[in-house]
Amino acid sequence: MQQRLQKIIARAGVTSRRKAEELITLGRVVVNGEVVTALGTKADPERDSIKVNGKRLASSIGSRVYLMLNKPRGYISSTSDPNGRSTVMSLLGRYRSRVYPIGRLDYASEGLLLFTNDGDFANHVLSAKNKIPKTYRVKIKGNPSEEELQKLRNGIRLDGRSTAPARIKRIRSGENPWFEVVLTEGRNQQIRRMFLRFGYLVGKIKRVKIGPLGLGTLPVGKHRLLTEREVQRLAADPKP
């Protein structure tokens, strides 16, 4: 059955659908010996020869893989790094060549990171319209006032537009308090930039939950497969 090329590539686990579209427009995709650059192009993954960056896709999509990793600090959430830094892929053992990250955590952040070779699942989790909440534990250097916290909850201007409403509550007091922060969007270093707007540096960030899926007791640096029920819940229910 014919499908759009970007969907075929994403479902084959090569990369996300958005990145697949970039590869197509850059002329990195070849179908039956001809370079394809039009995003509307369709192909049959069972019948057509499809090559991405010179490598042919298998005719059968194969089994889907869904993983969670408890990411340590000091790793790049990418499949490779031109500066030679360690990437999260090095922590995935035999799965490292079969999946790619769903979204990212920055180099200094830690916690729950998902991986898959299912492009539709990845798009569902990342799509802003689904508003899947991501829950973080955040340590702040300083003590924001309740007025400042309320402004962050309501939304502040970043990059010329307002952030979506956030849930923020203090979970440990002290000179460097901890907060639980729940976001439904994922802008670049958003939590760090939100608190920095009021002059507070973020000391630590750990993501502990994506939608209904939590880290549980998974040790730092370790990964595990998601259960079928976990995949179904996250794919079907954008609520926490």
Side-chain angles (χ1 to χ4, degrees):
M1 182 177 68
Q2 287 205 332
Q3 305 170 36
R4 289 182 181 271
L5 268 178
Q6 55 264 46
K7 182 176 182 179
I8 295 172
I9 295 169
R11 294 196 67 187
V14 175
T15 187
S16 67
R17 193 178 301 190
R18 182 178 300 176
K19 290 293 185 181
E21 291 177 349
E22 293 180 10
L23 291 173
I24 292 170
T25 56
L26 289 172
R28 310 284 285 277
V29 178
V30 176
V31 178
N32 297 328
E34 295 186 7
V35 175
V36 174
T37 57
L39 292 180
T41 302
K42 293 184 177 182
D44 186 334
E46 298 294 334
R47 297 176 180 272
D48 295 319
S49 170
I50 303 170
K51 291 184 178 181
V52 180
N53 288 328
K55 295 183 179 180
R56 182 170 179 171
L57 299 188
S59 60
S60 176
I61 295 301
S63 61
R64 300 284 179 262
V65 178
Y66 309 89
L67 292 173
M68 73 156 62
L69 169 73
N70 189 346
K71 175 191 174 295
R73 300 180 70 176
Y75 284 79
I76 299 294
S77 298
S78 177
T79 55
S80 62
D81 181 61
N83 297 317
R85 293 172 293 182
S86 297
T87 77
V88 290
M89 308 309 293
S90 65
L91 301 171
L92 300 183
R94 64 190 179 95
Y95 295 106
R96 62 182 299 173
S97 63
R98 298 184 59 191
V99 296
Y100 57 88
I102 302 176
R104 63 184 58 219
L105 288 170
D106 67 42
Y107 186 77
S109 297
E110 57 188 288
L112 179 55
L113 187 62
L114 298 178
F115 298 78
T116 191
N117 58 359
D118 182 342
D120 290 338
F121 179 80
N123 287 331
H124 175 82
V125 174
L126 293 173
S127 177
K129 69 179 182 181
N130 290 326
K131 298 182 178 180
I132 294 178
K134 282 81 173 177
T135 305
Y136 303 82
R137 299 284 189 266
V138 182
K139 185 179 182 180
I140 304 299
K141 296 180 180 179
N143 268 292
S145 67
E146 183 58 31
E147 180 181 0
E148 291 170 330
L149 292 175
Q150 192 57 48
K151 289 180 179 179
L152 292 176
R153 294 184 186 110
N154 294 339
I156 62 170
R157 301 286 287 182
L158 286 179
D159 304 321
R161 57 191 178 95
S162 294
T163 57
R167 298 203 300 272
I168 303 176
K169 67 177 181 180
R170 192 186 304 263
I171 56 177
R172 187 184 301 173
S173 299
E175 292 184 4
N176 298 308
W178 285 84
F179 293 87
E180 180 182 86
V181 178
V182 182
L183 303 179
T184 57
E185 59 182 352
R187 303 193 202 178
N188 184 40
Q189 298 199 359
Q190 181 171 342
I191 292 176
R192 298 182 191 279
R193 295 167 65 203
M194 285 170 61
F195 281 96
L196 187 59
R197 175 61 58 86
F198 294 100
Y200 301 102
L201 294 176
V202 172
K204 293 184 179 180
I205 296 179
K206 182 174 184 177
R207 184 159 64 196
V208 296
K209 203 171 183 183
I210 297 177
L213 184 62
L215 266 179
T217 59
L218 185 66
V220 175
K222 300 298 183 180
H223 66 276
R224 71 167 176 84
L225 291 168
L226 301 188
T227 66
E228 183 176 349
R229 175 168 172 74
E230 286 173 331
V231 173
Q232 290 175 346
R233 288 186 67 198
L234 189 53
D237 188 0
K239 298 178 183 179

